[in-house]
């Protein structure tokens, strides 16, 4: 049941601290962390919310809640998800301790050791770590700039002698690749999965962080599509739209999948913190979210543009990258002769870190990519950091 | 990997709500919930703490933290556990999302489907639910008023053809039995386990809630004992000394056990809420805990005495019970001809609920007990509730 998982350096401040020690006291420019910068959190709005709570609500903050979630938060989420076209009325919401817990619960629900599951390649490292821990055999399908490679998916399905339990995808502002699935690609994916009985896990942690409001239409989740015979579990998170420290996520799934998931959730931590759920619910229900999202979208768009401009100015012509339309990440492609891990070591000596491509390969091999996050460092660090990175890359050309 | 678990009615407000509906709109007197009454939570102290946080700490509340826990909270816990004589310097603390998550992590670390584990009988239902979910084969050992039955434990160990992975016990203010292990019994238990390689899980969720300060010496945890060759994992919780809504617990274990536990924790929810850890740490480090514990001990002692007096006044002579020295529970023994489930149904019609004995039997059979909690209802409900319960019991005599 238990297997050692790879370390998810990309996520944890502790690891960042270790990196800081390694870089021997120099201050570090980190393009590594997939988290918001501390200065972007809505602490003043939360002060207002906390101090506006009635004593009865404060008492409820301290108490156990239902395993499925704090009912007013579930109601707020139903409204929020309905507005995205998601079937919140016919499906059920389970509030989880971060959306990572949702992926963990789903894995525990569907996977026995040795079962096959499908992932994208590259894939969110937190999910890889869960799939490894529960002994899933990962089979990965490459993605291109428009989404998962449909032909490779078909070939893989034809070759496999076991039916995969599920396919895990992050179609919007992909982590680490920064791409979006086009609507066409999403429909093709649904056609391929239709009737196969393979569950689709649609991870939408970044969907609200588009840079251009016009995109909000076509990036809508597959879970909102009609007329396909695919069981989709949709997962969402408060980590990118409020703060990871709340450890709040949710999954929207059919009543059958929900019922077993609730039972597993009960055996994991009984229920998610009422305190965190009550504060988050006030944030949603009192209308704090939309203005905060407007602020975040502008902020991340500006950061993206700064990194984009800096890359254009300093990177050698051999290096390619995407221009993301939302989210946190730019995914650099190195020449095949160059290893991301080598560039990492060279950069670390000069006080710049990022996450190596190999980290996101479910098979821990492919290493010709670099994930740069523009969400977490002070803006003034972007250009100096990119210069150092470009210099390190030049050494290996 | 996944098995349906029994419902843990005792813990969840949602189930309590269902019960309230069943009792058709009448107001309910609940001796069921193993949680503090909402009016006992330190909400004003928390107001002071929250509003005293610096902006930098507030920002940190919103952020990811290390998987093992927020370092200043770990430091505060080390001090807290050292004061109890626990080996916090040579062992390691993992902060968990409630102590239930600690039990879940330990189970995932040690148990493969079909492995044997040992429990007490009766046993904390949350733990039973975890052991069932992860497919453990539970073998239970009866307890008496002084602790686990040593002879039965020895007989069981002699008979088993597989070595049990661990023994799970709650030696202090037992849930549901309300008893304490005597020091003699604890030493005998350690002698029996010594050198067997069977891990001991010592769940100490209630240890700070003694009614008499003199007891604080001899109820000290086995994890603090020296000179036994037993690997003990000690688990603790903030649920009874601050509030279950924080979902904060911890485990103290050897570095080897800790390392694997950290890796599993990472695959469950990445880290426990920084927000909740920072507030809890301020509560500990600024000295709010001790005065609050003094208040709680007096409050629960008074409630225990009210229930005790009421039981003495109203219960038929055939009914026996313990007088607890701390914690939340009185454990009634019915005549063998009477079923706790029948009494439950009779009481429910009259608006009184409790948790049936069978709930705490790992084999879900033994049903001659009733668990009454005195922690959760308004004090004025205690005597009327006990009268109704006594009347229901008389019907079955």
């Amino acid at each position: 049941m238990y297997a050692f998982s790879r370390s998810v350096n990309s996520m944890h401040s502790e690891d960042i601290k270790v990196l800081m020690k390694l870089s021997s006291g120099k201050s570090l420019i980190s393009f590594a962390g997939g988290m918001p910068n501390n200065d972007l959190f809505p602490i003043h709005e939360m002060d207002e919310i906390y101090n506006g709570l009635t004593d009865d609500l404060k008492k409820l903050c301290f108490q156990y809640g239902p395993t499925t979630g704090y009912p007013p938060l579930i109601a707020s989420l139903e409204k929020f998800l309905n507005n995205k076209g998601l079937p919140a009325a016919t499906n059920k919401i389970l509030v989880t301790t971060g959306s990572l817990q949702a992926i963990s619960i789903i894995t525990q629900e569907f996977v026995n050791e040795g079962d096959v599951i499908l992932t994208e390649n590259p894939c969110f490292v937190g999910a890889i770590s869960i799939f490894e821990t529960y002994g899933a055999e990962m089979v990965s399908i490459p993605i291109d700039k428009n989404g998962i490679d449909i032909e490779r998916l078909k070939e893989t399905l034809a070759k496999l002698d076991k039916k995969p339990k599920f396919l895990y995808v992050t179609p919007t502002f992909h982590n680490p690749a920064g791409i979006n699935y086009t609507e066409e690609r999403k429909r093709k994916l649904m056609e391929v999965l239709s009737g196969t009985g393979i569950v689709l896990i649609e991870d939408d942690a970044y969907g609200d962080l588009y840079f251009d409001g016009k995109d909000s239409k076509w990036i809508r989740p597959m879970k909102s599509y009609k007329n396909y015979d695919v069981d989709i579990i949709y997962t969402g998170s408060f980590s990118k739209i409020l703060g990871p420290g709340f450890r709040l996520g949710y999954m929207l799934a059919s009543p059958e999948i929900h019922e077993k998931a609730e039972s597993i959730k009960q055996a994991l931590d009984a229920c998610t913190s009422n305190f965190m759920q009550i504060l988050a619910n006030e944030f949603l229900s009192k209308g704090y979210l939309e203005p905060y999202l407007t602020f975040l979208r502008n902020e991340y768009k500006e950061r993206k543009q700064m990194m984009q401009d800096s890359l254009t100015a300093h990177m050698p012509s051999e290096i390619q990258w995407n221009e993301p339309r939302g989210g946190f990440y730019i995914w650099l492609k190195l020449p095949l002769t160059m290893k991301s891990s080598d560039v990492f070591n060279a950069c670390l000596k000069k006080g710049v870190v990022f996450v190596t491509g190999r980290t996101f390969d479910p098979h821990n091999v492919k290493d010709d990519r670099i994930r740069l996050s523009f969400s977490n460092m002070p803006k003034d660090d972007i250009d100096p950091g990119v210069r150092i990175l470009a210099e390190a890359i030049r050494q290996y050309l």
Side-chain angles (χ1 to χ4, degrees), chain A:
Chain A
M1 170 163 309
Y2 163 76
F4 264 104
S5 58
R6 80 185 65 188
S7 101
V8 288
N9 284 336
S10 56
M11 295 180 57
H12 298 296
S13 57
E14 191 177 45
D15 299 291
I16 303 290
K17 271 186 228 140
V18 172
L19 287 174
M20 289 178 82
K21 269 190 211 155
L22 283 174
S23 72
S24 55
K26 276 176 256 173
S27 75
L28 201 73
I29 298 179
S30 173
F31 298 137
M35 70 273 264
N37 186 283
N38 280 5
D39 290 333
L40 302 180
F41 294 125
I43 62 166
H44 299 302
E45 290 85 339
M46 203 45 66
D47 283 350
E48 275 181 49
I49 286 173
Y50 179 87
N51 287 306
L53 295 177
T54 62
D55 276 4
D56 278 349
L57 264 183
K58 281 182 187 163
K59 290 171 187 174
L60 213 54
C61 285
F62 281 71
Q63 193 55 281
Y64 284 117
T67 301
T68 48
Y70 174 60
L73 177 63
I74 291 177
S76 297
L77 281 171
E78 278 171 358
K79 210 169 142 189
F80 180 68
L81 297 179
N82 263 326
N83 286 342
K84 289 177 191 278
L86 290 161
T90 53
N91 278 248
K92 287 188 144 186
I93 291 168
L94 180 70
V95 176
T96 54
T97 308
S99 70
L100 198 82
Q101 190 189 53
I103 302 169
S104 193
I105 288 172
I106 297 162
T107 306
Q108 293 184 53
E109 181 166 344
F110 285 96
V111 173
N112 287 303
E113 208 167 331
D115 281 345
V116 172
I117 60 144
L118 302 174
T119 70
E120 300 161 315
N121 194 345
C123 175
F124 166 47
V125 60
I128 294 177
S129 166
I130 291 169
F131 302 149
E132 279 179 345
T133 298
Y134 292 103
E137 190 190 315
M138 283 179 271
V139 175
S140 70
I141 317 289
I143 57 175
D144 60 34
K145 68 181 177 13
N146 296 321
I148 197 164
D149 184 328
I150 297 292
E151 289 313 307
R152 290 287 291 275
L153 174 62
K154 283 185 191 168
E155 284 166 32
T156 302
L157 289 175
K159 263 190 265 175
L160 282 172
D161 48 7
K162 282 194 213 176
K163 188 171 88 174
K165 295 295 173 126
F166 56 70
L167 165 61
Y168 169 78
V169 296
T170 54
T172 310
F173 312 131
H174 191 277
N175 175 9
I179 60 124
N180 293 316
Y181 283 37
T182 60
E183 179 141 12
E184 188 195 351
R185 194 64 66 90
K186 287 192 270 193
R187 295 209 174 268
K188 279 191 180 156
L189 174 58
M190 296 292 277
E191 281 161 22
V192 172
L193 294 182
S194 217
T196 61
I198 300 169
V199 170
L200 181 65
I201 307 176
E202 183 174 30
D203 181 344
D204 194 20
Y206 298 90
D208 290 302
L209 298 179
Y210 45 79
F211 302 145
D212 183 340
K214 289 200 289 287
D215 288 342
S216 65
K217 297 246 158 105
W218 64 269
I219 62 170
R220 73 196 176 89
M222 287 178 275
K223 180 81 181 164
S224 69
Y225 290 10
K226 289 176 178 64
N227 303 322
Y228 294 97
D229 178 18
V230 184
D231 219 338
I232 302 181
I233 308 173
Y234 175 89
T235 65
S237 175
F238 282 88
S239 292
K240 312 314 188 219
I241 63 172
L242 180 55
F246 282 71
R247 306 313 299 126
L248 274 183
Y250 50 90
M251 57 182 268
L252 180 72
S254 69
E256 297 72 28
I257 290 173
H258 174 91
E259 189 186 355
K260 288 185 191 168
E262 180 188 350
S263 177
I264 294 168
K265 163 83 180 157
Q266 196 168 274
L268 288 178
D269 59 7
C271 56
T272 293
S273 164
N274 245 13
F275 208 133
M276 296 291 81
Q277 290 188 80
I278 286 170
L279 293 182
N281 179 53
E282 296 289 311
F283 194 75
L284 288 186
S285 65
K286 295 223 184 312
Y288 286 90
L289 178 63
E290 271 311 317
Y292 182 56
L293 280 177
T294 302
F295 160 75
L296 282 183
R297 286 167 189 146
N298 288 332
E299 175 73 24
Y300 291 133
K301 186 179 180 179
E302 188 189 344
R303 288 164 168 264
K304 184 269 299 176
Q305 199 53 51
M306 290 174 77
M307 187 173 273
Q308 192 70 30
D309 293 346
S310 181
L311 287 167
T312 306
H314 308 304
M315 277 294 149
S317 60
E318 291 87 346
I319 309 302
Q320 301 172 315
W321 64 90
N322 61 308
E323 180 164 358
R325 304 188 65 83
F328 285 2
Y329 308 110
I330 293 182
W331 187 228
L332 257 61
K333 186 163 171 32
L334 305 174
L336 283 172
T337 52
M338 204 182 290
K339 279 189 182 165
S340 158
S341 316
D342 292 335
V343 179
F344 180 86
N345 291 326
C347 278
L348 181 57
K349 286 183 199 140
K350 303 201 166 168
V352 171
V353 294
F354 54 81
V355 186
T356 60
R358 204 169 68 175
T359 311
F360 305 99
D361 174 8
H363 319 295
N364 208 12
V365 176
K366 201 170 147 46
D367 202 24
D368 63 334
R369 296 281 193 163
I370 281 175
R371 190 190 78 172
L372 299 181
S373 163
F374 47 80
S375 61
N376 185 37
M377 80 295 304
K379 279 186 273 201
D380 289 349
D381 282 356
I382 294 178
D383 193 63
V386 168
R387 280 170 190 264
I388 290 169
L389 175 63
E391 200 178 299
I393 286 176
R394 263 193 208 94
Q395 286 176 34
Y396 290 92
L397 275 179

